[in-house]
mmCIF file with all atom_site columns, all heavy atoms in Angstrom:
data_model
loop_
_atom_site.group_PDB
_atom_site.id
_atom_site.type_symbol
_atom_site.label_atom_id
_atom_site.label_alt_id
_atom_site.label_comp_id
_atom_site.label_asym_id
_atom_site.label_entity_id
_atom_site.label_seq_id
_atom_site.pdbx_PDB_ins_code
_atom_site.Cartn_x
_atom_site.Cartn_y
_atom_site.Cartn_z
_atom_site.occupancy
_atom_site.B_iso_or_equiv
_atom_site.pdbx_formal_charge
_atom_site.auth_seq_id
_atom_site.auth_comp_id
_atom_site.auth_asym_id
_atom_site.auth_atom_id
_atom_site.pdbx_PDB_model_num
ATOM 1   N N   . MET I 1 81 ? -29.790 28.415 -14.916 1.00 89.00 ? 261 MET I N   1
ATOM 2   C CA  . MET I 1 81 ? -30.510 28.214 -13.670 1.00 89.00 ? 261 MET I CA  1
ATOM 3   C C   . MET I 1 81 ? -31.210 26.866 -13.760 1.00 89.00 ? 261 MET I C   1
ATOM 4   O O   . MET I 1 81 ? -32.038 26.658 -14.643 1.00 89.00 ? 261 MET I O   1
ATOM 5   C CB  . MET I 1 81 ? -31.551 29.311 -13.438 1.00 89.00 ? 261 MET I CB  1
ATOM 6   C CG  . MET I 1 81 ? -32.283 29.125 -12.131 1.00 89.00 ? 261 MET I CG  1
ATOM 7   S SD  . MET I 1 81 ? -33.640 30.288 -11.845 1.00 89.00 ? 261 MET I SD  1
ATOM 8   C CE  . MET I 1 81 ? -33.029 31.814 -12.491 1.00 89.00 ? 261 MET I CE  1
ATOM 9   N N   . VAL I 1 82 ? -30.841 25.962 -12.865 1.00 86.00 ? 262 VAL I N   1
ATOM 10  C CA  . VAL I 1 82 ? -31.464 24.644 -12.841 1.00 86.00 ? 262 VAL I CA  1
ATOM 11  C C   . VAL I 1 82 ? -32.791 24.737 -12.096 1.00 86.00 ? 262 VAL I C   1
ATOM 12  O O   . VAL I 1 82 ? -32.844 25.242 -10.976 1.00 86.00 ? 262 VAL I O   1
ATOM 13  C CB  . VAL I 1 82 ? -30.542 23.599 -12.183 1.00 86.00 ? 262 VAL I CB  1
ATOM 14  C CG1 . VAL I 1 82 ? -31.260 22.259 -12.027 1.00 86.00 ? 262 VAL I CG1 1
ATOM 15  C CG2 . VAL I 1 82 ? -29.269 23.429 -13.009 1.00 86.00 ? 262 VAL I CG2 1
ATOM 16  N N   . ILE I 1 83 ? -33.855 24.273 -12.747 1.00 80.00 ? 263 ILE I N   1
ATOM 17  C CA  . ILE I 1 83 ? -35.176 24.205 -12.133 1.00 80.00 ? 263 ILE I CA  1
ATOM 18  C C   . ILE I 1 83 ? -35.596 22.745 -12.197 1.00 80.00 ? 263 ILE I C   1
ATOM 19  O O   . ILE I 1 83 ? -35.820 22.205 -13.280 1.00 80.00 ? 263 ILE I O   1
ATOM 20  C CB  . ILE I 1 83 ? -36.192 25.104 -12.866 1.00 80.00 ? 263 ILE I CB  1
ATOM 21  C CG1 . ILE I 1 83 ? -35.715 26.564 -12.842 1.00 80.00 ? 263 ILE I CG1 1
ATOM 22  C CG2 . ILE I 1 83 ? -37.576 24.955 -12.247 1.00 80.00 ? 263 ILE I CG2 1
ATOM 23  C CD1 . ILE I 1 83 ? -36.583 27.527 -13.601 1.00 80.00 ? 263 ILE I CD1 1
ATOM 24  N N   . THR I 1 84 ? -35.656 22.110 -11.033 1.00 71.00 ? 264 THR I N   1
ATOM 25  C CA  . THR I 1 84 ? -35.939 20.680 -10.978 1.00 71.00 ? 264 THR I CA  1
ATOM 26  C C   . THR I 1 84 ? -36.795 20.355 -9.766  1.00 71.00 ? 264 THR I C   1
ATOM 27  O O   . THR I 1 84 ? -36.765 21.086 -8.767  1.00 71.00 ? 264 THR I O   1
ATOM 28  C CB  . THR I 1 84 ? -34.628 19.866 -10.952 1.00 71.00 ? 264 THR I CB  1
ATOM 29  O OG1 . THR I 1 84 ? -34.926 18.479 -10.958 1.00 71.00 ? 264 THR I OG1 1
ATOM 30  C CG2 . THR I 1 84 ? -33.772 20.205 -9.743  1.00 71.00 ? 264 THR I CG2 1
ATOM 31  N N   . SER I 1 85 ? -37.538 19.270 -9.854  1.00 67.00 ? 265 SER I N   1
ATOM 32  C CA  . SER I 1 85 ? -38.349 18.825 -8.722  1.00 67.00 ? 265 SER I CA  1
ATOM 33  C C   . SER I 1 85 ? -37.511 18.013 -7.739  1.00 67.00 ? 265 SER I C   1
ATOM 34  O O   . SER I 1 85 ? -37.940 17.723 -6.636  1.00 67.00 ? 265 SER I O   1
ATOM 35  C CB  . SER I 1 85 ? -39.537 17.998 -9.207  1.00 67.00 ? 265 SER I CB  1
ATOM 36  O OG  . SER I 1 85 ? -39.075 16.855 -9.902  1.00 67.00 ? 265 SER I OG  1
ATOM 37  N N   . SER I 1 86 ? -36.294 17.663 -8.123  1.00 63.00 ? 266 SER I N   1
ATOM 38  C CA  . SER I 1 86 ? -35.419 16.873 -7.262  1.00 63.00 ? 266 SER I CA  1
ATOM 39  C C   . SER I 1 86 ? -34.893 17.730 -6.113  1.00 63.00 ? 266 SER I C   1
ATOM 40  O O   . SER I 1 86 ? -34.560 18.898 -6.294  1.00 63.00 ? 266 SER I O   1
ATOM 41  C CB  . SER I 1 86 ? -34.238 16.333 -8.072  1.00 63.00 ? 266 SER I CB  1
ATOM 42  O OG  . SER I 1 86 ? -33.335 15.660 -7.242  1.00 63.00 ? 266 SER I OG  1
ATOM 43  N N   . SER I 1 87 ? -34.823 17.129 -4.926  1.00 64.00 ? 267 SER I N   1
ATOM 44  C CA  . SER I 1 87 ? -34.260 17.841 -3.780  1.00 64.00 ? 267 SER I CA  1
ATOM 45  C C   . SER I 1 87 ? -32.929 17.214 -3.361  1.00 64.00 ? 267 SER I C   1
ATOM 46  O O   . SER I 1 87 ? -32.488 17.355 -2.240  1.00 64.00 ? 267 SER I O   1
ATOM 47  C CB  . SER I 1 87 ? -35.248 17.828 -2.609  1.00 64.00 ? 267 SER I CB  1
ATOM 48  O OG  . SER I 1 87 ? -35.518 16.492 -2.221  1.00 64.00 ? 267 SER I OG  1
ATOM 49  N N   . ASP I 1 88 ? -32.280 16.565 -4.294  1.00 65.00 ? 268 ASP I N   1
ATOM 50  C CA  . ASP I 1 88 ? -31.024 15.861 -4.054  1.00 65.00 ? 268 ASP I CA  1
ATOM 51  C C   . ASP I 1 88 ? -29.861 16.864 -3.983  1.00 65.00 ? 268 ASP I C   1
ATOM 52  O O   . ASP I 1 88 ? -29.523 17.511 -4.975  1.00 65.00 ? 268 ASP I O   1
ATOM 53  C CB  . ASP I 1 88 ? -30.806 14.858 -5.187  1.00 65.00 ? 268 ASP I CB  1
ATOM 54  C CG  . ASP I 1 88 ? -29.550 14.011 -5.037  1.00 65.00 ? 268 ASP I CG  1
ATOM 55  O OD1 . ASP I 1 88 ? -28.698 14.335 -4.191  1.00 65.00 ? 268 ASP I OD1 1
ATOM 56  O OD2 . ASP I 1 88 ? -29.434 13.022 -5.774  1.00 65.00 ? 268 ASP I OD2 1
ATOM 57  N N   . ALA I 1 89 ? -29.254 16.996 -2.810  1.00 67.00 ? 269 ALA I N   1
ATOM 58  C CA  . ALA I 1 89 ? -28.158 17.951 -2.615  1.00 67.00 ? 269 ALA I CA  1
ATOM 59  C C   . ALA I 1 89 ? -26.953 17.610 -3.491  1.00 67.00 ? 269 ALA I C   1
ATOM 60  O O   . ALA I 1 89 ? -26.286 18.506 -4.012  1.00 67.00 ? 269 ALA I O   1
ATOM 61  C CB  . ALA I 1 89 ? -27.749 17.999 -1.153  1.00 67.00 ? 269 ALA I CB  1
ATOM 62  N N   . LYS I 1 90 ? -26.661 16.324 -3.664  1.00 70.00 ? 270 LYS I N   1
ATOM 63  C CA  . LYS I 1 90 ? -25.528 15.925 -4.505  1.00 70.00 ? 270 LYS I CA  1
ATOM 64  C C   . LYS I 1 90 ? -25.771 16.331 -5.956  1.00 70.00 ? 270 LYS I C   1
ATOM 65  O O   . LYS I 1 90 ? -24.871 16.816 -6.633  1.00 70.00 ? 270 LYS I O   1
ATOM 66  C CB  . LYS I 1 90 ? -25.309 14.413 -4.403  1.00 70.00 ? 270 LYS I CB  1
ATOM 67  C CG  . LYS I 1 90 ? -24.114 13.927 -5.185  1.00 70.00 ? 270 LYS I CG  1
ATOM 68  C CD  . LYS I 1 90 ? -23.896 12.438 -5.023  1.00 70.00 ? 270 LYS I CD  1
ATOM 69  C CE  . LYS I 1 90 ? -22.713 11.997 -5.877  1.00 70.00 ? 270 LYS I CE  1
ATOM 70  N NZ  . LYS I 1 90 ? -22.570 10.562 -5.922  1.00 70.00 ? 270 LYS I NZ  1
ATOM 71  N N   . LEU I 1 91 ? -26.990 16.169 -6.411  1.00 68.00 ? 271 LEU I N   1
ATOM 72  C CA  . LEU I 1 91 ? -27.347 16.564 -7.770  1.00 68.00 ? 271 LEU I CA  1
ATOM 73  C C   . LEU I 1 91 ? -27.169 18.075 -7.933  1.00 68.00 ? 271 LEU I C   1
ATOM 74  O O   . LEU I 1 91 ? -26.628 18.548 -8.928  1.00 68.00 ? 271 LEU I O   1
ATOM 75  C CB  . LEU I 1 91 ? -28.795 16.161 -8.061  1.00 68.00 ? 271 LEU I CB  1
ATOM 76  C CG  . LEU I 1 91 ? -29.236 16.414 -9.474  1.00 68.00 ? 271 LEU I CG  1
ATOM 77  C CD1 . LEU I 1 91 ? -29.437 15.064 -10.168 1.00 68.00 ? 271 LEU I CD1 1
ATOM 78  C CD2 . LEU I 1 91 ? -30.523 17.189 -9.479  1.00 68.00 ? 271 LEU I CD2 1
ATOM 79  N N   . ALA I 1 92 ? -27.603 18.835 -6.944  1.00 65.00 ? 272 ALA I N   1
ATOM 80  C CA  . ALA I 1 92 ? -27.447 20.291 -6.986  1.00 65.00 ? 272 ALA I CA  1
ATOM 81  C C   . ALA I 1 92 ? -25.970 20.668 -7.031  1.00 65.00 ? 272 ALA I C   1
ATOM 82  O O   . ALA I 1 92 ? -25.561 21.515 -7.826  1.00 65.00 ? 272 ALA I O   1
ATOM 83  C CB  . ALA I 1 92 ? -28.128 20.929 -5.774  1.00 65.00 ? 272 ALA I CB  1
ATOM 84  N N   . TYR I 1 93 ? -25.168 20.027 -6.205  1.00 61.00 ? 273 TYR I N   1
ATOM 85  C CA  . TYR I 1 93 ? -23.724 20.285 -6.200  1.00 61.00 ? 273 TYR I CA  1
ATOM 86  C C   . TYR I 1 93 ? -23.125 19.966 -7.566  1.00 61.00 ? 273 TYR I C   1
ATOM 87  O O   . TYR I 1 93 ? -22.321 20.739 -8.097  1.00 61.00 ? 273 TYR I O   1
ATOM 88  C CB  . TYR I 1 93 ? -23.027 19.464 -5.116  1.00 61.00 ? 273 TYR I CB  1
ATOM 89  C CG  . TYR I 1 93 ? -21.527 19.585 -5.193  1.00 61.00 ? 273 TYR I CG  1
ATOM 90  C CD1 . TYR I 1 93 ? -20.875 20.707 -4.689  1.00 61.00 ? 273 TYR I CD1 1
ATOM 91  C CD2 . TYR I 1 93 ? -20.755 18.602 -5.813  1.00 61.00 ? 273 TYR I CD2 1
ATOM 92  C CE1 . TYR I 1 93 ? -19.505 20.847 -4.788  1.00 61.00 ? 273 TYR I CE1 1
ATOM 93  C CE2 . TYR I 1 93 ? -19.385 18.734 -5.915  1.00 61.00 ? 273 TYR I CE2 1
ATOM 94  C CZ  . TYR I 1 93 ? -18.756 19.847 -5.401  1.00 61.00 ? 273 TYR I CZ  1
ATOM 95  O OH  . TYR I 1 93 ? -17.397 19.984 -5.521  1.00 61.00 ? 273 TYR I OH  1
ATOM 96  N N   . ASN I 1 94 ? -23.520 18.833 -8.150  1.00 69.00 ? 274 ASN I N   1
ATOM 97  C CA  . ASN I 1 94 ? -23.001 18.447 -9.473  1.00 69.00 ? 274 ASN I CA  1
ATOM 98  C C   . ASN I 1 94 ? -23.364 19.479 -10.524 1.00 69.00 ? 274 ASN I C   1
ATOM 99  O O   . ASN I 1 94 ? -22.539 19.826 -11.378 1.00 69.00 ? 274 ASN I O   1
ATOM 100 C CB  . ASN I 1 94 ? -23.514 17.068 -9.884  1.00 69.00 ? 274 ASN I CB  1
ATOM 101 C CG  . ASN I 1 94 ? -22.808 15.938 -9.181  1.00 69.00 ? 274 ASN I CG  1
ATOM 102 O OD1 . ASN I 1 94 ? -21.684 16.108 -8.697  1.00 69.00 ? 274 ASN I OD1 1
ATOM 103 N ND2 . ASN I 1 94 ? -23.443 14.790 -9.118  1.00 69.00 ? 274 ASN I ND2 1
ATOM 104 N N   . ALA I 1 95 ? -24.588 19.971 -10.485 1.00 68.00 ? 275 ALA I N   1
ATOM 105 C CA  . ALA I 1 95 ? -25.005 20.971 -11.462 1.00 68.00 ? 275 ALA I CA  1
ATOM 106 C C   . ALA I 1 95 ? -24.186 22.247 -11.323 1.00 68.00 ? 275 ALA I C   1
ATOM 107 O O   . ALA I 1 95 ? -23.717 22.810 -12.323 1.00 68.00 ? 275 ALA I O   1
ATOM 108 C CB  . ALA I 1 95 ? -26.507 21.264 -11.290 1.00 68.00 ? 275 ALA I CB  1
ATOM 109 N N   . ILE I 1 96 ? -23.985 22.702 -10.109 1.00 70.00 ? 276 ILE I N   1
ATOM 110 C CA  . ILE I 1 96 ? -23.196 23.922 -9.888  1.00 70.00 ? 276 ILE I CA  1
ATOM 111 C C   . ILE I 1 96 ? -21.729 23.709 -10.258 1.00 70.00 ? 276 ILE I C   1
ATOM 112 O O   . ILE I 1 96 ? -21.103 24.561 -10.866 1.00 70.00 ? 276 ILE I O   1
ATOM 113 C CB  . ILE I 1 96 ? -23.387 24.440 -8.449  1.00 70.00 ? 276 ILE I CB  1
ATOM 114 C CG1 . ILE I 1 96 ? -24.813 24.976 -8.303  1.00 70.00 ? 276 ILE I CG1 1
ATOM 115 C CG2 . ILE I 1 96 ? -22.351 25.491 -8.096  1.00 70.00 ? 276 ILE I CG2 1
ATOM 116 C CD1 . ILE I 1 96 ? -25.206 25.368 -6.919  1.00 70.00 ? 276 ILE I CD1 1
ATOM 117 N N   . SER I 1 97 ? -21.211 22.539 -9.946  1.00 70.00 ? 277 SER I N   1
ATOM 118 C CA  . SER I 1 97 ? -19.809 22.264 -10.284 1.00 70.00 ? 277 SER I CA  1
ATOM 119 C C   . SER I 1 97 ? -19.588 22.187 -11.795 1.00 70.00 ? 277 SER I C   1
ATOM 120 O O   . SER I 1 97 ? -18.481 22.409 -12.264 1.00 70.00 ? 277 SER I O   1
ATOM 121 C CB  . SER I 1 97 ? -19.322 20.984 -9.603  1.00 70.00 ? 277 SER I CB  1
ATOM 122 O OG  . SER I 1 97 ? -19.912 19.835 -10.189 1.00 70.00 ? 277 SER I OG  1
#
Side-chain angles (χ1 to χ4, degrees):
M261 181 185 322
V262 174
I263 301 176
T264 183
S265 60
S266 175
S267 60
D268 182 347
K270 183 178 178 188
L271 185 111
Y273 173 79
N274 283 338
I276 290 173
S277 71

